[in-house]
Amino acid sequence: MKFKALLLDIDNTLYDYNNTHNIAKKSVVEFCKNKFNIDEKVILKAYEKARKNVHIELSETAASHNRLIYFQKMCEILKINPLENSFIIYNIYWDAFLENIIPFDGVYKLLEKYKNNICLVTDLTAHIQYRKVEKLKLNEYCQAIVTSEEAGKEKPHPYMFMLALKKLDLKADEVCMIGDSFKKDIFGASNLGINAIWFNHENKSESIESDLIKEVKIFDEILELI
């Protein structure tokens, strides 16, 4: 192995987040349409407004990604009792999400190669990330996790990566960060002297100015670099 351990993002790195999210959101819309007889466009508009407001009010915190808060505020906008419905909608969303989460080809080859030498480094709340860990069986391969809820900071804040290094008891030049977000995963890690592999499966455009950064389009290509 080229590195002693990996720092590994979860969402949109190990699976297609956007596709999975859209399926889950559709389940929520169908539930609200059928139960409350509300037009789909009105529901979607309320959801986006709620999400935007939460991101503004709770910027740079793990809570800014909490779907329960999104759905509570969505219910308030739609004049639906949030205490009766927010948690129901929350569970509909995540049950559909987890049921449809499919890992990218090559993920388990990577996990097997670095088995027990991986720390997951992920934004979002710990509870739902642990559910994803269980669904994807990441606990069979990874020895540690850092969530933004635990750290009190979100990537690209250096503390996220520093905490992961501490848990692995390794130095920056002994690990490699793998993630899909250039700003959060790659920029954040490389600024600390950590090698980083940008899994750019969405073909985004960024200027790479560091020798520490490598770019791949297909997950299997990561194996050639580590």
Side-chain angles (χ1 to χ4, degrees), residues 29-79:
V29 170
E30 288 301 313
F31 170 80
C32 292
K33 278 174 57 180
N34 294 332
K35 181 167 184 179
F36 306 111
N37 194 29
I38 302 174
D39 183 77
E40 178 176 341
K41 291 181 179 179
V42 174
I43 298 167
L44 289 171
K45 185 177 180 180
Y47 172 82
E48 291 303 327
K49 182 177 180 180
R51 184 184 68 83
K52 183 177 180 180
N53 288 346
V54 171
H55 275 237
I56 292 172
E57 295 163 7
L58 301 174
S59 178
E60 303 301 320
T61 68
S64 69
H65 304 285
N66 193 324
R67 294 299 188 284
L68 184 55
I69 301 176
Y70 291 7
F71 294 132
Q72 173 193 311
K73 291 189 176 294
M74 183 187 81
C75 286
E76 291 168 354
I77 293 168
L78 294 172
K79 307 301 182 183

Side-chain angles (χ1 to χ4, degrees), residues 87-121:
F87 195 57
I88 292 173
I89 295 171
Y90 173 84
N91 284 325
I92 288 171
Y93 176 89
W94 283 119
D95 287 348
F97 192 104
L98 293 168
E99 184 179 343
N100 289 280
I101 196 170
I102 300 173
F104 287 123
D105 291 340
V107 163
Y108 292 105
K109 291 179 184 177
L110 175 73
L111 294 174
E112 187 63 42
K113 184 172 183 178
Y114 275 83
K115 189 173 184 178
N116 297 323
N117 293 291
I118 302 171
C119 180
L120 299 166
V121 183

Side-chain angles (χ1 to χ4, degrees), residues 21-223:
H21 165 66
N22 287 334
I23 292 172
K25 188 166 67 171
K26 184 176 180 181
S27 297
V28 167
V29 170
E30 288 301 313
F31 170 80
C32 292
K33 278 174 57 180
N34 294 332
K35 181 167 184 179
F36 306 111
N37 194 29
I38 302 174
D39 183 77
E40 178 176 341
K41 291 181 179 179
V42 174
I43 298 167
L44 289 171
K45 185 177 180 180
Y47 172 82
E48 291 303 327
K49 182 177 180 180
R51 184 184 68 83
K52 183 177 180 180
N53 288 346
V54 171
H55 275 237
I56 292 172
E57 295 163 7
L58 301 174
S59 178
E60 303 301 320
T61 68
S64 69
H65 304 285
N66 193 324
R67 294 299 188 284
L68 184 55
I69 301 176
Y70 291 7
F71 294 132
Q72 173 193 311
K73 291 189 176 294
M74 183 187 81
C75 286
E76 291 168 354
I77 293 168
L78 294 172
K79 307 301 182 183
I80 297 169
N81 188 324
L83 296 180
E84 290 182 359
N85 298 288
S86 299
F87 195 57
I88 292 173
I89 295 171
Y90 173 84
N91 284 325
I92 288 171
Y93 176 89
W94 283 119
D95 287 348
F97 192 104
L98 293 168
E99 184 179 343
N100 289 280
I101 196 170
I102 300 173
F104 287 123
D105 291 340
V107 163
Y108 292 105
K109 291 179 184 177
L110 175 73
L111 294 174
E112 187 63 42
K113 184 172 183 178
Y114 275 83
K115 189 173 184 178
N116 297 323
N117 293 291
I118 302 171
C119 180
L120 299 166
V121 183
T122 175
D123 290 337
L124 302 181
T125 55
H127 172 261
I128 193 57
Q129 296 308 77
Y130 268 86
R131 289 186 69 185
K132 293 173 188 173
V133 164
E134 182 180 24
K135 174 66 176 180
L136 293 169
K137 302 187 185 302
L138 301 181
N139 53 299
E140 297 179 12
Y141 303 92
C142 306
Q143 69 183 85
I145 186 172
V146 173
T147 65
S148 57
E149 185 174 28
E150 171 192 6
K153 303 290 183 180
E154 288 203 309
K155 295 177 289 185
H157 195 283
Y159 187 59
M160 290 284 288
F161 305 99
M162 292 166 63
L163 185 54
L165 291 173
K166 182 179 179 180
K167 291 189 178 190
L168 292 170
D169 193 24
L170 293 173
K171 299 176 182 178
D173 61 358
E174 295 177 314
V175 305
C176 180
M177 176 71 203
I178 300 172
D180 72 293
S181 171
F182 189 86
K183 176 184 176 182
K184 286 178 168 285
D185 302 315
I186 309 309
F187 181 76
S190 63
N191 266 359
L192 287 177
I194 298 172
N195 281 275
I197 298 174
W198 181 28
F199 179 32
N200 186 21
H201 58 93
E202 295 181 334
N203 293 311
K204 295 181 179 179
S205 179
E206 294 286 352
S207 178
I208 299 175
E209 300 176 353
S210 171
D211 292 337
L212 294 173
I213 300 172
K214 299 292 186 292
E215 177 185 357
V216 301
K217 304 287 188 180
I218 301 171
F219 201 93
D220 275 335
E221 294 176 337
I222 296 172
L223 291 167

